[in-house]
Amino acid sequence: MLLGVIADDFTGATDIAGFLVENGMRTIQLNGVPETKLDIDADAVVISLKSRSCPVDEAIESSVEALNWLQQQGCQQFYFKYCSTFDSTREGNIGPVTDALLEALNEEFTIVCPALPVNGRTVFNGHLFVLGELLSDSGMRNHPVTPMTDSSLVRLMDAQSTGTTGLVNYQTIEQGAQAVTERFLAIAQEGQRYAVADAFNQSHLETLGEAAKSLKLVTGGSGLASGIAKNWTEHLSDQSSAKEAGKPQPANTVVLSGSCSVMTNQQVSTYAQKAPHLALDVKACLEQQDYCESVFKWVLENLDADFAPMVYATAEPEVLKAIQAQYGAQASSHAVEQFFSQLAHQLKENGVQNFIVAGGETSGVVTQSLGVKGFHIGPQIAPGVPWVKAIDSNLSLALKSGNFGDVNFFETAQGFYHD
């Protein structure tokens, strides 16, 4: 095993796993740290955690536990994967987890690179942009859990972590990997612990990946993974078949959407024009014990439609705020998660095999309720969103981070059954 990845949520894990597979690394994703011994034949293993917005001490504990397990498997390099919009607060969890992983590895330096240009996440002079807008001006400023009101990755990292942060600007990166490596060394010699790296095209990421070859720990979004994977090319035995094990098969399918991101709102609206769809009633989730049963029956009645039925809690920011004001943000969020967990389990027991899920938290609870321990990573539906297939059953899932994919994502995903 060559590369071990610690991802701070479920969709983030499939995101980076998809890029590794696309670049020839046979990759398996595990749902949490395994409690029993597993016989794994892969070049890379991605452990998905639920550590993005939990208390800091819990995020550190689970991340270090994942690192220890990956070390026991003989991994030679480690990758802490977080969202390309750097979802976090001034308290963490990105900074504290990075510090803990460095300490556990007895390392003093790493890079910070959330850039994912193919999905519009770019870094210029240390500032993170989303589709051409500063992060602080993007839809992420309204995120209900981690509102991003600062676009400076240097300031964000300094606020969260114990060390200080330097910058590798794009002028240095365009001079090549050797110049970047020398800049890494200079930043470290200045006593700074982290290097924020500019990147606004694929060439920048490949240069950064090459320069990071000797680092024991790298941190970033999924974009850097392609450059990191290229470093291991000479060690890969069968790159051509890397994605075959995770390809989905024709079967009963359902779409479940819990994300309230801008793109998911557009995807839900587009898909609802051609497929059976049902908007979740948060009040009913909280107050009606038989609500899930009625939705379950509705899904079964619509499985034979031309397009898979969709159940969604997706809502515009104003609607979401009203729901949270009436029921409380935590209570309403928990009720929706529990609903999707119960619904997914019932659907699995009644023959649904393919689940297309939007939203990191929703993907996490659905995956857990289905009892899936790990996945083979298959072909990408959109950049950062592959189909995955359970290692121990016939279940296939597409786990989509909120803002990923285009407006036709839900329909496009179903087209892979016949490729």
Side-chain angles (χ1 to χ4, degrees):
M1 201 177 298
L2 305 172
L3 181 67
V5 181
I6 302 163
D8 68 355
D9 84 339
F10 291 93
T11 54
T14 55
D15 173 11
I16 190 170
F19 280 103
L20 294 175
V21 167
E22 288 293 320
N23 287 275
M25 298 191 83
R26 295 173 302 127
T27 305
I28 285 178
Q29 176 183 332
L30 299 177
N31 182 11
V33 180
E35 297 179 357
T36 58
K37 182 177 176 59
L38 295 178
D39 184 16
I40 295 176
D41 180 21
D43 303 311
V45 169
V46 181
I47 294 180
S48 58
L49 303 176
K50 195 175 181 180
S51 58
R52 179 168 297 173
S53 54
C54 69
V56 172
D57 56 346
E58 292 180 18
I60 291 173
E61 182 180 4
S62 62
S63 300
V64 172
E65 182 185 4
L67 173 66
N68 292 338
W69 188 89
L70 291 167
Q71 287 178 302
Q72 292 168 13
Q73 312 314 304
C75 291
Q76 300 174 44
Q77 189 177 37
F78 304 92
Y79 197 127
F80 172 36
K81 194 275 173 194
Y82 38 78
C83 189
S84 57
T85 47
F86 212 74
D87 298 18
S88 54
T89 66
R90 287 186 63 84
E91 291 73 37
N93 291 340
I94 295 173
V97 169
T98 299
D99 286 339
L101 295 176
L102 283 171
E103 183 177 351
L105 289 166
N106 197 28
E107 295 288 319
E108 297 294 332
F109 176 82
T110 189
I111 61 172
V112 176
C113 183
L116 183 58
V118 71
N119 276 345
R121 278 69 165 168
T122 54
V123 181
F124 176 75
N125 286 336
H127 285 76
L128 183 56
F129 289 77
V130 178
L131 297 174
E133 288 187 310
L134 283 167
L135 175 66
S136 54
D137 293 333
S138 74
M140 283 301 298
R141 69 185 183 278
N142 296 318
H143 194 286
V145 180
T146 54
M148 302 307 296
T149 57
D150 191 351
S151 63
S152 170
L153 294 171
V154 172
R155 286 197 296 265
L156 288 167
M157 200 65 188
D158 282 351
Q160 296 179 25
S161 59
T162 59
T164 56
T165 311
L167 174 66
V168 183
N169 61 29
Y170 70 94
Q171 294 98 328
T172 300
I173 295 167
E174 290 178 353
Q175 294 174 38
Q178 182 59 40
V180 175
T181 300
E182 291 172 0
R183 178 60 180 151
F184 286 167
L185 181 61
I187 291 173
Q189 288 177 340
E190 292 169 3
Q192 302 192 94
R193 208 172 191 195
Y194 331 99
V196 165
D198 279 357
F200 44 86
N201 58 47
Q202 186 60 30
S203 177
H204 291 161
L205 292 173
E206 291 181 3
T207 299
L208 286 167
E210 182 180 351
K213 185 174 184 178
S214 63
L215 296 180
K216 197 73 172 177
L217 174 70
V218 295
T219 87
S222 59
L224 185 60
S226 57
I228 296 296
K230 286 179 170 59
N231 293 333
W232 299 107
T233 299
E234 63 187 81
H235 301 281
L236 306 180
S237 57
D238 187 11
Q239 299 181 56
S240 62
S241 64
K243 66 184 74 170
E244 287 302 311
K247 191 173 181 180
Q249 300 300 314
N252 285 336
T253 303
V254 67
V255 177
L256 305 176
S257 179
S259 170
C260 290
S261 70
V262 173
M263 178 51 71
T264 302
N265 269 289
Q266 295 176 14
Q267 290 162 342
V268 166
S269 178
T270 299
Y271 190 67
Q273 296 176 27
K274 62 186 66 177
H277 56 281
L278 188 152
L280 204 61
D281 184 337
V282 177
K283 181 178 180 180
C285 287
L286 287 160
E287 299 178 358
Q288 295 181 21
Q289 292 186 349
D290 62 347
Y291 181 60
C292 186
E293 185 66 27
S294 65
V295 175
F296 164 69
K297 291 178 179 177
W298 177 87
V299 173
L300 293 186
E301 292 169 357
N302 287 278
L303 285 176
D304 292 332
D306 291 338
F307 294 98
M310 173 177 66
V311 179
Y312 61 99
T314 300
E316 296 291 342
E318 295 77 13
V319 177
L320 179 63
K321 287 179 180 178
I323 292 171
Q324 291 178 338
Q326 183 175 0
Y327 301 107
Q330 187 172 358
S332 55
S333 176
H334 180 71
V336 170
E337 287 186 15
Q338 290 302 111
F339 170 87
F340 278 123
S341 175
Q342 183 181 347
L343 178 62
H345 178 76
Q346 286 185 255
L347 291 171
K348 171 194 170 186
E349 294 300 307
N350 283 268
V352 174
Q353 293 183 21
N354 297 333
F355 291 80
I356 301 170
V357 188
E361 297 299 318
T362 308
S363 294
V365 297
V366 166
T367 303
Q368 290 175 325
S369 70
L370 295 176
V372 178
K373 297 180 179 178
F375 310 110
H376 296 286
I377 306 301
Q380 291 205 59
I381 307 161
V385 193
W387 270 107
V388 300
K389 191 168 186 177
I391 58 177
D392 53 359
S393 72
N394 58 7
L395 294 173
S396 288
L397 299 94
L399 307 174
K400 188 193 83 70
S401 181
N403 278 310
F404 281 20
D406 63 18
V407 294
N408 296 308
F409 176 84
F410 296 138
E411 180 180 352
T412 301
Q414 294 167 58
F416 280 75
Y417 306 161
H418 310 294
D419 289 350

